[in-house]
Amino acid sequence: MTHQYATEAIQLLKTLISTPSVSRDESKAADVMCGFMNKHNIAHKRIGNNILCIPDNYCETKPTILLNAHIDTVKPASGWQRDPFSPVEEDGRLYGLGSNDCGGGLVSLLQAFRILSGRQQAYNLIYAASAEEEVSGQNGFTLLKSHLPRIDVAIVGEPTSLQPAIAEKGLMVVDVTTHGKAGHAARNEGINALYKAVDQINWIRNFRFPKISPMLGEMKMTTTIIQSGTLHNIIPDTCVYTIDVRTTDCYTNQEVLDLLTAQLDADVKARSTRLGSSHIAPDHPIVQKCRQLGLKPFGSPTLSDQALMTWPSMKLGPGDSQRSHTADEFIHTADIDKAINLYVALLDNLNL
């Protein structure tokens, strides 16, 4: 039944691949999506480079399910042996930038939305294609969110090998500045800010958060950048280093920031605390339906627009997360057909 929808989805994905849509430059890809919707009489509203579809039969008294995926891509990684913007099908694989992350989910969710919108359900189904996901930009889901009705649960079409990711880690980037006192390196004078930073970094490396998430495991903090000093013979009076923090559902970003501020004798500043860990209850009806279909819930270490959602959500999409942001990115075309069928089986006659 969905074969024709899959054929259309693959063709749409090819057109999207050939339309560069690096984050903050998605206008032409949004044009492509709107063109497809116009052709198939899908009512939609464009909000910047985001696209929102709310069907005419939307009812405020019903619960609402959001289907979401992003239209933007990262810049092509080094090492591509193909033209990243020329879609090529070979041996059941479709190569091209954004094919896996997350063009496959984007087009599959849209087709499932088309199929299910024509059926009476006990819930509202809406679809949103968002921009700037790869950079968590203000003109992406953050802008789109203010135009959404009340959402009860969401499916995000990130590549999960068609298994439900019912929790994902959050992200917080923290910049730390230690302060010392300059002096001549040849004499025993000054206070070395770099040494202070090294001691703190060693604590960060070895610290273990006591609470461990059943789905996401341990919290993770990694020092990734350090800058200090001006000349070889001057004791550095400042040192700046950066921590990549991956929060779980056991801790909020603010809780971790408070811990770092209390522990470190330094200026501690988070670039943002808004990208928190997200999850959905293991006994939520949509997760229970996943299990009935033989799917296996898991926890995802990678970030998505879920981090900006204040309602229950999960990731479920075709493709493999390990192929995201890599050279010669591809998706199996058969997985797009499977995804459409899976979304329809999961959502048809679902009771929230």
Side-chain angles (χ1 to χ4, degrees):
M1 172 198 155
T2 61
H3 179 71
Q4 180 58 37
Y5 285 95
T7 300
E8 293 172 354
I10 292 167
Q11 185 55 52
L12 173 59
L13 180 52
K14 289 179 178 179
T15 305
L16 288 167
I17 290 170
S18 63
T19 308
S21 55
V22 174
S23 300
R24 297 194 174 98
D25 191 20
E26 309 98 338
S27 179
K28 291 182 180 179
D31 290 344
V32 169
M33 292 292 291
C34 290
F36 182 89
M37 292 174 181
N38 288 331
K39 178 180 178 180
H40 295 283
N41 298 313
I42 304 170
H44 62 279
K45 177 182 180 182
R46 183 163 173 170
I47 304 159
N49 290 328
N50 307 283
I51 304 160
L52 176 61
C53 302
I54 300 179
D56 293 337
N57 61 358
Y58 176 85
C59 176
E60 291 186 356
T61 61
K62 290 182 179 180
T64 298
I65 300 174
L66 168 67
L67 306 181
N68 168 247
H70 63 89
I71 64 174
D72 62 314
T73 72
V74 295
K75 294 179 180 179
S78 61
W80 274 83
Q81 301 299 307
R82 306 163 181 272
D83 180 351
F85 303 110
S86 294
V88 175
E89 259 190 274
E90 268 181 26
D91 300 323
R93 296 177 174 183
L94 175 58
Y95 291 88
L97 182 64
S99 57
N100 180 79
D101 183 18
C102 70
L106 178 76
V107 299
S108 299
L109 281 173
L110 178 57
Q111 296 296 66
F113 172 77
R114 286 179 62 198
I115 294 168
L116 291 165
S117 292
R119 302 178 186 179
Q120 187 65 32
Q121 304 289 348
Y123 59 83
N124 299 304
L125 189 65
I126 68 176
Y127 173 88
S130 49
E132 297 191 7
E133 187 272 348
E134 297 289 3
V135 294
S136 299
Q138 293 293 327
N139 291 316
F141 195 83
T142 297
L143 173 63
L144 178 64
K145 187 176 176 180
S146 62
H147 295 264
L148 295 176
R150 182 180 61 84
I151 305 297
D152 292 271
V153 65
I155 296 176
V156 180
E158 292 285 330
T160 65
S161 300
L162 292 176
Q163 298 296 327
I166 66 170
E168 75 167 17
K169 288 187 175 180
L171 169 65
M172 181 171 61
V173 180
V174 179
D175 295 310
V176 182
T177 304
T178 60
H179 298 278
K181 182 178 180 182
H184 199 296
R187 294 188 291 270
N188 187 23
E189 63 184 27
I191 299 172
N192 196 320
L194 178 54
Y195 286 171
K196 290 178 67 174
V198 168
D199 289 341
Q200 294 174 9
I201 291 168
N202 190 51
W203 176 84
I204 292 164
R205 179 182 182 183
N206 294 299
F207 181 75
R208 294 293 178 268
F209 287 83
K211 290 187 285 187
I212 299 176
S213 167
M215 294 301 301
L216 297 170
E218 291 187 354
M219 268 274 308
K220 184 172 176 57
M221 296 193 298
T222 308
T223 305
T224 54
I225 302 171
I226 186 167
Q227 297 172 321
S228 185
T230 55
L231 292 172
H232 74 89
N233 57 357
I234 299 178
I235 299 296
D237 60 357
T238 60
C239 180
V240 180
Y241 62 94
T242 300
I243 315 169
D244 179 284
V245 181
R246 303 288 168 156
T247 46
T248 70
D249 48 347
C250 292
Y251 297 92
T252 66
N253 286 351
Q254 188 61 51
E255 286 174 330
V256 177
L257 181 62
D258 290 344
L259 171 69
L260 291 172
T261 301
Q263 174 66 35
L264 304 177
D265 179 20
D267 296 332
V268 180
K269 184 177 181 180
R271 298 181 188 178
S272 171
T273 59
R274 68 191 183 105
L275 302 177
S277 176
S278 57
H279 67 281
I280 187 172
D283 60 352
H284 190 282
I286 203 167
V287 179
Q288 292 181 328
K289 184 74 174 289
C290 284
R291 290 196 175 95
Q292 292 170 13
L293 293 172
L295 306 182
K296 297 180 179 180
F298 72 102
S300 170
T302 57
L303 194 73
S304 74
D305 274 337
Q306 272 187 284
L308 301 172
M309 297 181 183
T310 54
W311 47 82
S313 59
M314 70 177 191
K315 292 190 292 197
L316 177 64
D320 186 334
S321 181
Q322 293 185 348
R323 294 198 296 264
S324 300
H325 304 183
T326 62
D328 296 323
E329 178 185 350
F330 69 88
I331 191 168
H332 293 282
T333 54
D335 286 347
I336 293 177
D337 196 1
K338 291 177 184 176
I340 298 170
N341 279 287
L342 177 59
Y343 290 140
V344 172
L346 175 62
L347 294 170
D348 200 19
N349 297 315
L350 178 69
N351 289 310
L352 295 177

